[in-house]
Amino acid sequence: MPRELNERQQKFLEVLFEDAGGDVVAAKKLAGYSDNTPTTAIVKGLKEEILEATQMYMARNAPKAAMAMVGGLFDPTELGIRDKMSAAKELLDRTGLVKTEKMQVEASGGVMLMPPKAVVNDD
């Protein structure tokens, strides 16, 4: 069950990834906190909510990362494409869209099992 946040805490979370661009000091000011309020105290009090908002922000931008990766297929000569592809891969990995790998196992020089020899009694 989510806990109750006061008006300033809610505003802080709203502006953190929008107007403040992820800058906690700017978000503090935009939310109406006093300059005397320690930023660390705000972050400590909203740690879980900030982490959840961060996950949501990453998930919101995962489609852009996917589009960037596919775009690299159409224009592989784009300036900075390696860095862009690397950043897109990292973001997709962190949002849970990881590359699946299949492993094929081959063996040579295996062992062949033969049925037991028939026993002949000379009685």
Side-chain angles (χ1 to χ4, degrees):
M1 183 166 116
R3 67 183 181 122
E4 289 290 320
L5 301 177
N6 66 40
E7 189 176 319
R8 267 190 258 149
Q9 289 173 320
Q10 289 175 355
K11 182 70 174 174
F12 178 87
L13 292 171
E14 287 171 15
V15 300
L16 182 59
F17 288 102
E18 298 297 329
D19 301 333
D23 183 345
V24 292
V25 175
K28 175 179 96 168
K29 290 177 182 175
L30 289 168
Y33 282 96
S34 159
D35 288 338
N36 297 331
T37 305
T39 306
T40 54
I42 298 168
V43 171
K44 187 175 181 180
L46 293 172
K47 180 181 174 186
E48 294 301 317
E49 290 81 3
I50 291 170
L51 290 174
E52 186 177 322
T54 302
Q55 287 177 325
M56 288 299 295
Y57 181 76
M58 296 285 276
R60 262 193 339 250
N61 286 285
K64 288 181 187 176
M67 295 293 291
M69 291 194 90
V70 173
L73 296 173
F74 295 109
D75 187 8
T77 61
E78 178 184 345
L79 190 61
I81 192 68
R82 285 183 192 255
D83 293 335
K84 189 175 185 179
M85 295 293 274
S86 178
K89 179 191 174 304
E90 289 295 323
L91 187 123
L92 291 172
D93 285 350
R94 282 168 172 62
T95 56
L97 291 169
V98 293
K99 177 175 77 169
T100 57
E101 293 185 22
K102 294 183 181 179
M103 189 183 317
Q104 183 174 347
V105 178
E106 294 182 19
S108 62
V111 177
M112 188 166 149
L113 298 177
M114 302 291 291
K117 292 183 180 180
V119 177
V120 178
N121 286 337
D122 289 335
D123 290 339

